[in-house]
Amino acid sequence: MKLIFLGPPGAGKGSLAVRVVDLLGVPQISTGEILRSAVAAQTPLGIKAKAIMDAGELVDDGTIIELVKERLEQPDAQKGYILDGFPRTIPQAKALAEFSAVDKVVNFDVPDNILLERLGGRRVCRMCNFNFHAVSLKPKVEGVCDHCGGEVYIRDDDMPEAIQKRLEVYRAKTEPLISFYREQGVVVDITAQNTVDEVVELFKKVMGL
Ligand code: AP5
């Protein structure tokens, strides 16, 4: 199954994706995670992307489209994928349509006050990328990942000004994709303001799994 997870920052796209990849038997492809790995490894892409990401802006379409196109050519993506964080602009969506046909677009609906609470408290494992939360999902030992023992840190773009900018960019550039995909009849809406367990159950229901 070829899926796009579409929703604002903090909607829980990554959290749901890790919970359903085994069920669907497809990889999660997060452009944000690919970029953060490139930043950590200080590759030319990472060096170019870091300041853009920290400011809450989008990396240019050409770079991201090429990156996703190459990733979708890998053997593990041949039977499907969850695209988490791509496409984020109409040009990205049009480019994707030229190299892959998606089955469904899962549109995450979460009120802004909940998004702010989630992003402000997010803590991430540097090694396995698991998302914790400072209040609702703390690691058992502070600063240490329960799953792999990696360091748990705060993302540079989870600072208040960057969060605000990311929400603005989402409304201006990414939200129009909902209508774009609705016109193609592939959108399923998911109310994602409840707990992760409840969101997983709702996802299974709307997807008929
Ligand atoms: P990216 O990493 O894609 O960030 P994002 O879209 O802003 O999404 P987030 O990762 O912030 O949120 P999420 O919806 O995955 O929520 P999560 O599950 O983590 O992109 C980062 C940057 O990279 C961009 O700003 C841009 O610069 C660049 N970039 C990436 N893709 C690009 C593209 N296509 N084009 C151009 N530039 C691109 O959850 C958040 C928190 O909430 C966690 O703490 C979690 O534990 C908690 N939580 C989640 N669900 C629940 C729940 N149901 N109940 C309670 N808590 C929950």
Side-chain angles (χ1 to χ4, degrees), residues 10 12-15 31 36 57 85 88 92 122 132 166 194:
K13 306 178 294 293
S15 297
T31 41
R36 279 186 289 282
E57 300 280 0
R88 258 179 154 91
Q92 290 181 17
R122 175 164 52 193
F132 294 93
R166 285 160 64 207
N194 299 328

Side-chain angles (χ1 to χ4, degrees), residues 29-32 34-35 38 45 59 61-73 86 99:
I29 297 176
S30 159
T31 41
I34 296 171
L35 291 169
L45 169 64
V59 174
D61 287 338
T63 301
I64 293 288
I65 290 165
E66 202 49 43
L67 186 153
V68 173
K69 191 165 186 277
E70 279 178 22
R71 180 64 186 86
L72 293 189
E73 285 165 4
F86 178 91
F99 54 83

Side-chain angles (χ1 to χ4, degrees), residues 143-183:
V144 182
C145 177
D146 297 353
H147 308 284
C148 73
E151 181 201 356
V152 172
Y153 78 112
I154 301 177
R155 271 171 47 174
D156 289 337
D157 61 352
D158 279 345
M159 299 302 153
E161 303 90 69
I163 290 174
Q164 209 51 52
K165 185 70 197 174
R166 285 160 64 207
L167 286 169
E168 281 170 32
V169 169
Y170 173 77
R171 302 283 173 232
K173 298 195 171 159
T174 309
E175 209 168 49
L177 292 177
I178 302 173
S179 308
F180 177 86
Y181 283 118
R182 256 194 228 294
E183 282 165 18

